[in-house]
Amino acid sequence: AQTVTQSQPEMSVQEAETVTLSCTYDTSESDYYLFWYKQPPSRQMILVIRQEAYKQQNATENRFSVNFQKAAKSFSLKISDSQLGDAAMYFCAYRSAFLNYGGATNKLIFGTGTLLAVQP
Amino acid sequence: NAGVTQTPKFQVLKTGQSMTLQCAQDMNHEYMSWYRQDPGMGLRLIHYSVGAGITDQGEVPNGYNVSRSTTEDFPLRLLSAAPSQTSVYFCASRAGGRYGYTFGSGTRLTVV
């Protein structure tokens, strides 16, 4: 079974600085998707960035980028030029890309989250 | 764009009561899921659907029922509420392929 681990329960960053959130995962599959979701105090789950396992190029969305190391099963999120609005809980998630009878491709497996505080 | 709409946003139930959490999406997504979020445990899959008329169990299905009679709607029914079902519930949907899930704003349910 796949697992996702976020080893940093809390992180803090100064406004305008850069912070990296860590995520590791365990899987025997070769094709899958990885996601970072942001959950601000409003409770809404917001998709931040997505990475496909077969793509070597690291995904980037504006100030958010990932460092995807497939062999090491590592998927960290870098937030550049941190803003007060970035303060939130961040979840790393895994989804299989294989169609199978168990429906694994429909299941997002989440880590336990990292609470990011942004200091003014 | 409404996206994924969940109702109600908050609910308090007494033990043994039943209720239905509503979920509707207007993006014509095939896949829909229900998750529950508990402190320190991330989100866990309750039930999911791959299209109208097709549902299956997720990781923590006990005490919950679902049905999917239309592409748009995916209600979650609590049959006999228990305090262990106190949680925040999220409905999510996605298109086929490599897309991520779009989540609703959640329902905070308290069972007393």
Side-chain angles (χ1 to χ4, degrees), chain A residues 33 35 37 39 43-45 47 50 52 91 95 99 101-103 105-108 110-112, chain B residues 9 31 35 37 40 42-43 45 48 50 88 90 94 97-101 103-106 108:
Chain A
Y33 307 107
F35 306 89
Y37 280 89
Q39 187 178 40
R43 198 172 68 199
Q44 181 75 45
M45 293 287 287
L47 178 62
R50 180 193 70 204
E52 298 176 46
F91 291 97
R95 180 165 71 84
L99 291 172
Y101 300 112
T105 190
N106 301 300
K107 178 181 177 179
L108 274 175
F110 285 89
T112 52
Chain B
K9 294 194 183 306
Y31 301 92
Y35 288 84
Q37 182 179 25
L43 282 80
L45 181 65
Y48 67 92
V50 300
V88 178
F90 286 96
R94 70 173 180 90
R98 64 186 185 277
Y99 297 98
Y101 274 94
F103 283 78
S105 58
R108 180 175 293 278

Side-chain angles (χ1 to χ4, degrees), chain A residues 40-76:
Chain A
S42 67
R43 198 172 68 199
Q44 181 75 45
M45 293 287 287
I46 302 164
L47 178 62
V48 174
I49 201 164
R50 180 193 70 204
Q51 176 77 43
E52 298 176 46
Y54 266 106
K55 289 192 174 180
Q56 293 187 345
Q57 185 174 5
N58 289 325
T60 299
E61 291 285 345
N62 301 316
R63 297 182 295 107
F64 298 87
S65 61
V66 298
N67 184 3
F68 173 49
Q69 301 290 328
K70 190 172 183 180
K73 298 179 183 174
S74 171
F75 182 61
S76 60

